Amino acid sequence: MSGREIRTMEEFAEAIGISRPTVSKYFNDPASVRKTTRDRIEAALEEHHYQPNIFAINQNRKATKCIGILVPYLSDPFFAEMVRLMERRCIDAGFWPVILSAHGEQHLENEALATMRSLRPTGALLAPLGRASDLKALERFARNVPTVVFDSNVPVGETFVGSNNFQSIPMIVDYLCRTGEPPCFMEMQPVNPNANKRRDAYIMAMEKLGYDPQVVRVEGSGWEFEQIGLELGGEMLSSGGFPSSTILCSNDRLAIGLIAAAFERGLRVGHGQGCALRVAGHDDHPLSRFTTPPLTTVSQDYMSIVNKSVATLFDLVESGERNQGNRTEILFDGKLILRSSA
């Protein structure tokens, strides 16, 4: 076979004089073949520049080594960081992570689910769009694939892992009320269940402290949160539409846009003399410490959410048991992050 381009595993096995089943066994699990055989195969891979079709190998397995990861908007640094941590955990455990994004659109989320399903994954980690999701499509997927849902608590899969909004929002509301004018709450049209929970938690916390809740909703929708905060939040600043000089935003991305809008209007954000308003957010978005001024917020416990999501999925895969009908929810408390904006 000298001089021929090797295209298949059969041709590769014939060229190096090792049986096809042994070569296949090596690609499924290199440690499962003897070291001398492994060394021969790896030397031959280098010599012949052969690259096996991993997709085809996976399709022939009863249980693949593929883990699907789906998020609503991969360009958002929040989800990019979550995915980076999940990907690393999967790789370290010997799995092949496949990462897909819905780009904020239902039909793309459905296509991503179909693509993922075609790979016959061992399991999946899903952060659904939320309100825009096709619940039936998510349910069909989760019936066939062990699934852990994170961030957006859509009622599918075996387990949800996320943040305790009814702990984190009251914590920052209490801080803002103790240190200045009680906050109003700025939100946009909700895109996932977190938004509604945060509004409800704000109302509960304000009433518990003896203040009237003041919810301000701007009419923006979609996933361009910073643009909504900049444009529609800016319009509210110009019209005097905020009932308080302390503004708690539903998420950090809205707050980042609002801080930019204040800068455009010459309004100083922060504490002390000369400051026109305080702005706070939620999530500890990776860019929140780089705003001017840096954003006061509540951090989600990224590492705990990632570790628990991945560990829970691995337990499901290892046990082979599905606990559908007995879905569990695991929530992690947030931490107050004090910076100059509030």
PDB file of all heavy atoms in Angstrom, residues 178-213:
ATOM      1  N   ARG A 178     -29.949  50.141  52.429  1.00  0.00           N
ATOM      2  CA  ARG A 178     -29.170  50.577  53.602  1.00  0.00           C
ATOM      3  C   ARG A 178     -28.193  51.691  53.265  1.00  0.00           C
ATOM      4  O   ARG A 178     -27.766  52.443  54.154  1.00  0.00           O
ATOM      5  CB  ARG A 178     -28.397  49.393  54.182  1.00  0.00           C
ATOM      6  CG  ARG A 178     -29.239  48.414  54.973  1.00  0.00           C
ATOM      7  CD  ARG A 178     -28.380  47.372  55.683  1.00  0.00           C
ATOM      8  NE  ARG A 178     -27.756  46.428  54.771  1.00  0.00           N
ATOM      9  CZ  ARG A 178     -26.473  46.433  54.431  1.00  0.00           C
ATOM     10  NH1 ARG A 178     -25.664  47.372  54.908  1.00  0.00           N
ATOM     11  NH2 ARG A 178     -25.979  45.507  53.612  1.00  0.00           N
ATOM     12  N   THR A 179     -27.801  51.808  52.003  1.00  0.00           N
ATOM     13  CA  THR A 179     -26.709  52.720  51.652  1.00  0.00           C
ATOM     14  C   THR A 179     -27.141  53.912  50.799  1.00  0.00           C
ATOM     15  O   THR A 179     -26.291  54.689  50.356  1.00  0.00           O
ATOM     16  CB  THR A 179     -25.609  51.943  50.904  1.00  0.00           C
ATOM     17  OG1 THR A 179     -26.185  51.295  49.755  1.00  0.00           O
ATOM     18  CG2 THR A 179     -24.970  50.900  51.800  1.00  0.00           C
ATOM     19  N   GLY A 180     -28.421  54.068  50.574  1.00  0.00           N
ATOM     20  CA  GLY A 180     -28.875  55.188  49.764  1.00  0.00           C
ATOM     21  C   GLY A 180     -30.358  55.101  49.495  1.00  0.00           C
ATOM     22  O   GLY A 180     -31.102  54.375  50.172  1.00  0.00           O
ATOM     23  N   GLU A 181     -30.804  55.810  48.485  1.00  0.00           N
ATOM     24  CA  GLU A 181     -32.224  55.789  48.128  1.00  0.00           C
ATOM     25  C   GLU A 181     -32.622  54.379  47.705  1.00  0.00           C
ATOM     26  O   GLU A 181     -31.899  53.709  46.963  1.00  0.00           O
ATOM     27  CB  GLU A 181     -32.482  56.773  46.989  1.00  0.00           C
ATOM     28  CG  GLU A 181     -33.954  56.925  46.649  1.00  0.00           C
ATOM     29  CD  GLU A 181     -34.198  57.967  45.554  1.00  0.00           C
ATOM     30  OE1 GLU A 181     -33.215  58.527  45.016  1.00  0.00           O
ATOM     31  OE2 GLU A 181     -35.382  58.207  45.243  1.00  0.00           O
ATOM     32  N   PRO A 182     -33.773  53.878  48.177  1.00  0.00           N
ATOM     33  CA  PRO A 182     -34.220  52.537  47.776  1.00  0.00           C
ATOM     34  C   PRO A 182     -34.315  52.424  46.250  1.00  0.00           C
ATOM     35  O   PRO A 182     -34.701  53.389  45.569  1.00  0.00           O
ATOM     36  CB  PRO A 182     -35.591  52.405  48.437  1.00  0.00           C
ATOM     37  CG  PRO A 182     -35.510  53.318  49.617  1.00  0.00           C
ATOM     38  CD  PRO A 182     -34.679  54.486  49.149  1.00  0.00           C
ATOM     39  N   PRO A 183     -34.004  51.257  45.701  1.00  0.00           N
ATOM     40  CA  PRO A 183     -33.901  51.129  44.249  1.00  0.00           C
ATOM     41  C   PRO A 183     -35.243  50.904  43.562  1.00  0.00           C
ATOM     42  O   PRO A 183     -36.149  50.274  44.104  1.00  0.00           O
ATOM     43  CB  PRO A 183     -33.023  49.887  44.076  1.00  0.00           C
ATOM     44  CG  PRO A 183     -33.368  49.039  45.267  1.00  0.00           C
ATOM     45  CD  PRO A 183     -33.589  50.022  46.401  1.00  0.00           C
ATOM     46  N   CYS A 184     -35.349  51.428  42.351  1.00  0.00           N
ATOM     47  CA  CYS A 184     -36.351  50.918  41.414  1.00  0.00           C
ATOM     48  C   CYS A 184     -35.721  49.745  40.671  1.00  0.00           C
ATOM     49  O   CYS A 184     -34.516  49.499  40.775  1.00  0.00           O
ATOM     50  CB  CYS A 184     -36.818  52.005  40.451  1.00  0.00           C
ATOM     51  SG  CYS A 184     -35.530  52.696  39.385  1.00  0.00           S
ATOM     52  N   PHE A 185     -36.553  49.009  39.953  1.00  0.00           N
ATOM     53  CA  PHE A 185     -36.087  47.796  39.268  1.00  0.00           C
ATOM     54  C   PHE A 185     -36.323  47.961  37.775  1.00  0.00           C
ATOM     55  O   PHE A 185     -37.464  48.126  37.334  1.00  0.00           O
ATOM     56  CB  PHE A 185     -36.845  46.575  39.786  1.00  0.00           C
ATOM     57  CG  PHE A 185     -36.366  45.259  39.240  1.00  0.00           C
ATOM     58  CD1 PHE A 185     -35.233  44.643  39.755  1.00  0.00           C
ATOM     59  CD2 PHE A 185     -37.059  44.619  38.210  1.00  0.00           C
ATOM     60  CE1 PHE A 185     -34.797  43.421  39.257  1.00  0.00           C
ATOM     61  CE2 PHE A 185     -36.634  43.409  37.704  1.00  0.00           C
ATOM     62  CZ  PHE A 185     -35.494  42.801  38.227  1.00  0.00           C
ATOM     63  N   MET A 186     -35.240  47.938  36.993  1.00  0.00           N
ATOM     64  CA  MET A 186     -35.357  48.080  35.543  1.00  0.00           C
ATOM     65  C   MET A 186     -35.301  46.711  34.887  1.00  0.00           C
ATOM     66  O   MET A 186     -34.375  45.930  35.112  1.00  0.00           O
ATOM     67  CB  MET A 186     -34.218  48.950  35.003  1.00  0.00           C
ATOM     68  CG  MET A 186     -34.201  49.060  33.483  1.00  0.00           C
ATOM     69  SD  MET A 186     -32.782  50.023  32.897  1.00  0.00           S
ATOM     70  CE  MET A 186     -32.857  49.703  31.132  1.00  0.00           C
ATOM     71  N   GLU A 187     -36.322  46.431  34.066  1.00  0.00           N
ATOM     72  CA  GLU A 187     -36.350  45.178  33.336  1.00  0.00           C
ATOM     73  C   GLU A 187     -36.802  45.440  31.908  1.00  0.00           C
ATOM     74  O   GLU A 187     -37.286  46.522  31.567  1.00  0.00           O
ATOM     75  CB  GLU A 187     -37.304  44.176  33.998  1.00  0.00           C
ATOM     76  CG  GLU A 187     -38.763  44.595  33.966  1.00  0.00           C
ATOM     77  CD  GLU A 187     -39.706  43.514  34.455  1.00  0.00           C
ATOM     78  OE1 GLU A 187     -39.240  42.442  34.874  1.00  0.00           O
ATOM     79  OE2 GLU A 187     -40.933  43.748  34.393  1.00  0.00           O
ATOM     80  N   MET A 188     -36.619  44.426  31.065  1.00  0.00           N
ATOM     81  CA  MET A 188     -37.115  44.441  29.702  1.00  0.00           C
ATOM     82  C   MET A 188     -38.088  43.281  29.565  1.00  0.00           C
ATOM     83  O   MET A 188     -38.407  42.616  30.561  1.00  0.00           O
ATOM     84  CB  MET A 188     -35.954  44.288  28.710  1.00  0.00           C
ATOM     85  CG  MET A 188     -35.039  43.118  29.040  1.00  0.00           C
ATOM     86  SD  MET A 188     -33.696  42.891  27.885  1.00  0.00           S
ATOM     87  CE  MET A 188     -34.548  41.996  26.583  1.00  0.00           C
ATOM     88  N   GLN A 189     -38.597  43.043  28.383  1.00  0.00           N
ATOM     89  CA  GLN A 189     -39.476  41.891  28.199  1.00  0.00           C
ATOM     90  C   GLN A 189     -38.696  40.631  28.519  1.00  0.00           C
ATOM     91  O   GLN A 189     -37.627  40.391  27.953  1.00  0.00           O
ATOM     92  CB  GLN A 189     -40.010  41.856  26.769  1.00  0.00           C
ATOM     93  CG  GLN A 189     -40.933  43.003  26.433  1.00  0.00           C
ATOM     94  CD  GLN A 189     -41.517  42.893  25.035  1.00  0.00           C
ATOM     95  OE1 GLN A 189     -41.747  41.809  24.537  1.00  0.00           O
ATOM     96  NE2 GLN A 189     -41.763  44.035  24.401  1.00  0.00           N
ATOM     97  N   PRO A 190     -39.189  39.803  29.445  1.00  0.00           N
ATOM     98  CA  PRO A 190     -38.410  38.644  29.903  1.00  0.00           C
ATOM     99  C   PRO A 190     -38.108  37.672  28.762  1.00  0.00           C
ATOM    100  O   PRO A 190     -38.973  37.388  27.928  1.00  0.00           O
ATOM    101  CB  PRO A 190     -39.331  37.996  30.941  1.00  0.00           C
ATOM    102  CG  PRO A 190     -40.258  39.089  31.368  1.00  0.00           C
ATOM    103  CD  PRO A 190     -40.465  39.937  30.155  1.00  0.00           C
ATOM    104  N   VAL A 191     -36.872  37.168  28.762  1.00  0.00           N
ATOM    105  CA  VAL A 191     -36.506  36.166  27.759  1.00  0.00           C
ATOM    106  C   VAL A 191     -36.394  34.775  28.360  1.00  0.00           C
ATOM    107  O   VAL A 191     -36.424  33.778  27.636  1.00  0.00           O
ATOM    108  CB  VAL A 191     -35.178  36.533  27.052  1.00  0.00           C
ATOM    109  CG1 VAL A 191     -35.321  37.820  26.268  1.00  0.00           C
ATOM    110  CG2 VAL A 191     -34.032  36.631  28.050  1.00  0.00           C
ATOM    111  N   ASN A 192     -36.226  34.688  29.683  1.00  0.00           N
ATOM    112  CA  ASN A 192     -36.186  33.372  30.324  1.00  0.00           C
ATOM    113  C   ASN A 192     -36.742  33.479  31.742  1.00  0.00           C
ATOM    114  O   ASN A 192     -37.011  34.576  32.235  1.00  0.00           O
ATOM    115  CB  ASN A 192     -34.771  32.785  30.297  1.00  0.00           C
ATOM    116  CG  ASN A 192     -33.774  33.587  31.111  1.00  0.00           C
ATOM    117  OD1 ASN A 192     -34.119  34.203  32.108  1.00  0.00           O
ATOM    118  ND2 ASN A 192     -32.529  33.574  30.677  1.00  0.00           N
ATOM    119  N   PRO A 193     -36.939  32.351  32.425  1.00  0.00           N
ATOM    120  CA  PRO A 193     -37.580  32.394  33.750  1.00  0.00           C
ATOM    121  C   PRO A 193     -36.828  33.210  34.788  1.00  0.00           C
ATOM    122  O   PRO A 193     -37.433  33.678  35.760  1.00  0.00           O
ATOM    123  CB  PRO A 193     -37.630  30.910  34.145  1.00  0.00           C
ATOM    124  CG  PRO A 193     -37.641  30.163  32.851  1.00  0.00           C
ATOM    125  CD  PRO A 193     -36.758  30.964  31.938  1.00  0.00           C
ATOM    126  N   ASN A 194     -35.522  33.400  34.632  1.00  0.00           N
ATOM    127  CA  ASN A 194     -34.764  34.183  35.606  1.00  0.00           C
ATOM    128  C   ASN A 194     -35.314  35.600  35.738  1.00  0.00           C
ATOM    129  O   ASN A 194     -35.358  36.164  36.830  1.00  0.00           O
ATOM    130  CB  ASN A 194     -33.290  34.260  35.197  1.00  0.00           C
ATOM    131  CG  ASN A 194     -32.555  32.966  35.461  1.00  0.00           C
ATOM    132  OD1 ASN A 194     -32.792  32.302  36.465  1.00  0.00           O
ATOM    133  ND2 ASN A 194     -31.663  32.597  34.566  1.00  0.00           N
ATOM    134  N   ALA A 195     -35.694  36.188  34.609  1.00  0.00           N
ATOM    135  CA  ALA A 195     -36.159  37.576  34.624  1.00  0.00           C
ATOM    136  C   ALA A 195     -37.388  37.734  35.509  1.00  0.00           C
ATOM    137  O   ALA A 195     -37.469  38.669  36.327  1.00  0.00           O
ATOM    138  CB  ALA A 195     -36.455  38.042  33.204  1.00  0.00           C
ATOM    139  N   ASN A 196     -38.361  36.854  35.364  1.00  0.00           N
ATOM    140  CA  ASN A 196     -39.568  36.943  36.179  1.00  0.00           C
ATOM    141  C   ASN A 196     -39.271  36.689  37.653  1.00  0.00           C
ATOM    142  O   ASN A 196     -39.819  37.359  38.539  1.00  0.00           O
ATOM    143  CB  ASN A 196     -40.615  35.950  35.685  1.00  0.00           C
ATOM    144  CG  ASN A 196     -41.202  36.347  34.343  1.00  0.00           C
ATOM    145  OD1 ASN A 196     -41.313  37.536  34.035  1.00  0.00           O
ATOM    146  ND2 ASN A 196     -41.576  35.366  33.545  1.00  0.00           N
ATOM    147  N   LYS A 197     -38.413  35.720  37.919  1.00  0.00           N
ATOM    148  CA  LYS A 197     -38.066  35.416  39.310  1.00  0.00           C
ATOM    149  C   LYS A 197     -37.380  36.611  39.966  1.00  0.00           C
ATOM    150  O   LYS A 197     -37.638  36.922  41.135  1.00  0.00           O
ATOM    151  CB  LYS A 197     -37.168  34.182  39.369  1.00  0.00           C
ATOM    152  CG  LYS A 197     -37.881  32.858  39.118  1.00  0.00           C
ATOM    153  CD  LYS A 197     -36.933  31.689  39.288  1.00  0.00           C
ATOM    154  CE  LYS A 197     -37.675  30.349  39.211  1.00  0.00           C
ATOM    155  NZ  LYS A 197     -38.279  30.113  37.909  1.00  0.00           N
ATOM    156  N   ARG A 198     -36.509  37.288  39.229  1.00  0.00           N
ATOM    157  CA  ARG A 198     -35.798  38.430  39.807  1.00  0.00           C
ATOM    158  C   ARG A 198     -36.761  39.585  40.095  1.00  0.00           C
ATOM    159  O   ARG A 198     -36.637  40.261  41.109  1.00  0.00           O
ATOM    160  CB  ARG A 198     -34.659  38.852  38.884  1.00  0.00           C
ATOM    161  CG  ARG A 198     -33.546  37.818  38.837  1.00  0.00           C
ATOM    162  CD  ARG A 198     -32.453  38.151  37.839  1.00  0.00           C
ATOM    163  NE  ARG A 198     -31.538  37.019  37.724  1.00  0.00           N
ATOM    164  CZ  ARG A 198     -30.502  36.961  36.884  1.00  0.00           C
ATOM    165  NH1 ARG A 198     -30.249  37.996  36.074  1.00  0.00           N
ATOM    166  NH2 ARG A 198     -29.725  35.896  36.850  1.00  0.00           N
ATOM    167  N   ARG A 199     -37.701  39.825  39.183  1.00  0.00           N
ATOM    168  CA  ARG A 199     -38.697  40.876  39.451  1.00  0.00           C
ATOM    169  C   ARG A 199     -39.515  40.539  40.687  1.00  0.00           C
ATOM    170  O   ARG A 199     -39.709  41.376  41.569  1.00  0.00           O
ATOM    171  CB  ARG A 199     -39.618  41.059  38.256  1.00  0.00           C
ATOM    172  CG  ARG A 199     -40.616  42.188  38.462  1.00  0.00           C
ATOM    173  CD  ARG A 199     -41.930  42.005  37.742  1.00  0.00           C
ATOM    174  NE  ARG A 199     -41.777  41.515  36.409  1.00  0.00           N
ATOM    175  CZ  ARG A 199     -42.220  40.316  36.006  1.00  0.00           C
ATOM    176  NH1 ARG A 199     -42.815  39.507  36.878  1.00  0.00           N
ATOM    177  NH2 ARG A 199     -42.078  39.920  34.772  1.00  0.00           N
ATOM    178  N   ASP A 200     -39.987  39.287  40.757  1.00  0.00           N
ATOM    179  CA  ASP A 200     -40.802  38.882  41.909  1.00  0.00           C
ATOM    180  C   ASP A 200     -39.998  38.953  43.204  1.00  0.00           C
ATOM    181  O   ASP A 200     -40.528  39.346  44.252  1.00  0.00           O
ATOM    182  CB  ASP A 200     -41.323  37.456  41.694  1.00  0.00           C
ATOM    183  CG  ASP A 200     -42.336  37.367  40.564  1.00  0.00           C
ATOM    184  OD1 ASP A 200     -42.830  38.425  40.114  1.00  0.00           O
ATOM    185  OD2 ASP A 200     -42.612  36.243  40.103  1.00  0.00           O
ATOM    186  N   ALA A 201     -38.716  38.578  43.133  1.00  0.00           N
ATOM    187  CA  ALA A 201     -37.873  38.640  44.330  1.00  0.00           C
ATOM    188  C   ALA A 201     -37.644  40.082  44.759  1.00  0.00           C
ATOM    189  O   ALA A 201     -37.593  40.383  45.967  1.00  0.00           O
ATOM    190  CB  ALA A 201     -36.541  37.944  44.058  1.00  0.00           C
ATOM    191  N   TYR A 202     -37.498  40.995  43.786  1.00  0.00           N
ATOM    192  CA  TYR A 202     -37.348  42.424  44.103  1.00  0.00           C
ATOM    193  C   TYR A 202     -38.594  42.942  44.824  1.00  0.00           C
ATOM    194  O   TYR A 202     -38.493  43.621  45.858  1.00  0.00           O
ATOM    195  CB  TYR A 202     -37.097  43.219  42.823  1.00  0.00           C
ATOM    196  CG  TYR A 202     -37.374  44.696  42.972  1.00  0.00           C
ATOM    197  CD1 TYR A 202     -36.446  45.538  43.583  1.00  0.00           C
ATOM    198  CD2 TYR A 202     -38.574  45.253  42.516  1.00  0.00           C
ATOM    199  CE1 TYR A 202     -36.715  46.897  43.749  1.00  0.00           C
ATOM    200  CE2 TYR A 202     -38.842  46.610  42.667  1.00  0.00           C
ATOM    201  CZ  TYR A 202     -37.915  47.426  43.289  1.00  0.00           C
ATOM    202  OH  TYR A 202     -38.172  48.763  43.454  1.00  0.00           O
ATOM    203  N   ILE A 203     -39.769  42.637  44.291  1.00  0.00           N
ATOM    204  CA  ILE A 203     -41.018  43.106  44.899  1.00  0.00           C
ATOM    205  C   ILE A 203     -41.144  42.574  46.328  1.00  0.00           C
ATOM    206  O   ILE A 203     -41.474  43.319  47.268  1.00  0.00           O
ATOM    207  CB  ILE A 203     -42.218  42.671  44.038  1.00  0.00           C
ATOM    208  CG1 ILE A 203     -42.197  43.409  42.696  1.00  0.00           C
ATOM    209  CG2 ILE A 203     -43.543  42.912  44.773  1.00  0.00           C
ATOM    210  CD1 ILE A 203     -43.203  42.901  41.679  1.00  0.00           C
ATOM    211  N   MET A 204     -40.857  41.292  46.497  1.00  0.00           N
ATOM    212  CA  MET A 204     -40.940  40.675  47.827  1.00  0.00           C
ATOM    213  C   MET A 204     -39.981  41.352  48.798  1.00  0.00           C
ATOM    214  O   MET A 204     -40.352  41.666  49.933  1.00  0.00           O
ATOM    215  CB  MET A 204     -40.614  39.187  47.713  1.00  0.00           C
ATOM    216  CG  MET A 204     -40.634  38.434  49.034  1.00  0.00           C
ATOM    217  SD  MET A 204     -39.887  36.782  48.885  1.00  0.00           S
ATOM    218  CE  MET A 204     -38.139  37.230  48.761  1.00  0.00           C
ATOM    219  N   ALA A 205     -38.736  41.594  48.340  1.00  0.00           N
ATOM    220  CA  ALA A 205     -37.731  42.183  49.223  1.00  0.00           C
ATOM    221  C   ALA A 205     -38.089  43.609  49.616  1.00  0.00           C
ATOM    222  O   ALA A 205     -37.932  44.008  50.786  1.00  0.00           O
ATOM    223  CB  ALA A 205     -36.365  42.148  48.537  1.00  0.00           C
ATOM    224  N   MET A 206     -38.570  44.415  48.655  1.00  0.00           N
ATOM    225  CA  MET A 206     -38.941  45.801  48.962  1.00  0.00           C
ATOM    226  C   MET A 206     -40.099  45.840  49.957  1.00  0.00           C
ATOM    227  O   MET A 206     -40.083  46.641  50.920  1.00  0.00           O
ATOM    228  CB  MET A 206     -39.304  46.530  47.673  1.00  0.00           C
ATOM    229  CG  MET A 206     -38.122  46.806  46.755  1.00  0.00           C
ATOM    230  SD  MET A 206     -37.029  48.104  47.379  1.00  0.00           S
ATOM    231  CE  MET A 206     -37.990  49.569  46.980  1.00  0.00           C
ATOM    232  N   GLU A 207     -41.103  45.023  49.746  1.00  0.00           N
ATOM    233  CA  GLU A 207     -42.253  45.010  50.651  1.00  0.00           C
ATOM    234  C   GLU A 207     -41.847  44.557  52.050  1.00  0.00           C
ATOM    235  O   GLU A 207     -42.324  45.103  53.053  1.00  0.00           O
ATOM    236  CB  GLU A 207     -43.350  44.109  50.080  1.00  0.00           C
ATOM    237  CG  GLU A 207     -43.996  44.692  48.828  1.00  0.00           C
ATOM    238  CD  GLU A 207     -45.032  43.771  48.218  1.00  0.00           C
ATOM    239  OE1 GLU A 207     -45.017  42.561  48.559  1.00  0.00           O
ATOM    240  OE2 GLU A 207     -45.848  44.243  47.395  1.00  0.00           O
ATOM    241  N   LYS A 208     -40.940  43.598  52.115  1.00  0.00           N
ATOM    242  CA  LYS A 208     -40.478  43.113  53.421  1.00  0.00           C
ATOM    243  C   LYS A 208     -39.750  44.214  54.184  1.00  0.00           C
ATOM    244  O   LYS A 208     -39.835  44.299  55.417  1.00  0.00           O
ATOM    245  CB  LYS A 208     -39.564  41.906  53.225  1.00  0.00           C
ATOM    246  CG  LYS A 208     -39.100  41.273  54.530  1.00  0.00           C
ATOM    247  CD  LYS A 208     -38.279  40.015  54.275  1.00  0.00           C
ATOM    248  CE  LYS A 208     -37.831  39.391  55.589  1.00  0.00           C
ATOM    249  NZ  LYS A 208     -37.019  38.164  55.360  1.00  0.00           N
ATOM    250  N   LEU A 209     -39.045  45.090  53.452  1.00  0.00           N
ATOM    251  CA  LEU A 209     -38.314  46.187  54.079  1.00  0.00           C
ATOM    252  C   LEU A 209     -39.188  47.422  54.317  1.00  0.00           C
ATOM    253  O   LEU A 209     -38.726  48.433  54.850  1.00  0.00           O
ATOM    254  CB  LEU A 209     -37.106  46.569  53.215  1.00  0.00           C
ATOM    255  CG  LEU A 209     -35.984  45.518  53.122  1.00  0.00           C
ATOM    256  CD1 LEU A 209     -34.958  45.919  52.073  1.00  0.00           C
ATOM    257  CD2 LEU A 209     -35.312  45.318  54.483  1.00  0.00           C
ATOM    258  N   GLY A 210     -40.439  47.348  53.890  1.00  0.00           N
ATOM    259  CA  GLY A 210     -41.369  48.448  54.124  1.00  0.00           C
ATOM    260  C   GLY A 210     -41.370  49.525  53.053  1.00  0.00           C
ATOM    261  O   GLY A 210     -41.849  50.642  53.290  1.00  0.00           O
ATOM    262  N   TYR A 211     -40.872  49.213  51.858  1.00  0.00           N
ATOM    263  CA  TYR A 211     -40.827  50.182  50.751  1.00  0.00           C
ATOM    264  C   TYR A 211     -41.800  49.764  49.652  1.00  0.00           C
ATOM    265  O   TYR A 211     -42.115  48.578  49.479  1.00  0.00           O
ATOM    266  CB  TYR A 211     -39.418  50.274  50.172  1.00  0.00           C
ATOM    267  CG  TYR A 211     -38.376  50.785  51.133  1.00  0.00           C
ATOM    268  CD1 TYR A 211     -37.433  49.918  51.682  1.00  0.00           C
ATOM    269  CD2 TYR A 211     -38.328  52.124  51.496  1.00  0.00           C
ATOM    270  CE1 TYR A 211     -36.469  50.369  52.570  1.00  0.00           C
ATOM    271  CE2 TYR A 211     -37.366  52.599  52.385  1.00  0.00           C
ATOM    272  CZ  TYR A 211     -36.440  51.701  52.920  1.00  0.00           C
ATOM    273  OH  TYR A 211     -35.488  52.166  53.801  1.00  0.00           O
ATOM    274  N   ASP A 212     -42.248  50.733  48.885  1.00  0.00           N
ATOM    275  CA  ASP A 212     -43.093  50.448  47.730  1.00  0.00           C
ATOM    276  C   ASP A 212     -42.211  50.003  46.567  1.00  0.00           C
ATOM    277  O   ASP A 212     -41.296  50.736  46.157  1.00  0.00           O
ATOM    278  CB  ASP A 212     -43.881  51.682  47.314  1.00  0.00           C
ATOM    279  CG  ASP A 212     -44.950  52.063  48.337  1.00  0.00           C
ATOM    280  OD1 ASP A 212     -45.461  51.137  49.015  1.00  0.00           O
ATOM    281  OD2 ASP A 212     -45.244  53.262  48.457  1.00  0.00           O
ATOM    282  N   PRO A 213     -42.464  48.832  46.002  1.00  0.00           N
ATOM    283  CA  PRO A 213     -41.693  48.404  44.817  1.00  0.00           C
ATOM    284  C   PRO A 213     -41.995  49.320  43.634  1.00  0.00           C
ATOM    285  O   PRO A 213     -43.135  49.765  43.456  1.00  0.00           O
ATOM    286  CB  PRO A 213     -42.203  46.984  44.558  1.00  0.00           C
ATOM    287  CG  PRO A 213     -42.902  46.577  45.809  1.00  0.00           C
ATOM    288  CD  PRO A 213     -43.430  47.822  46.430  1.00  0.00           C
TER     289      PRO A 213
END
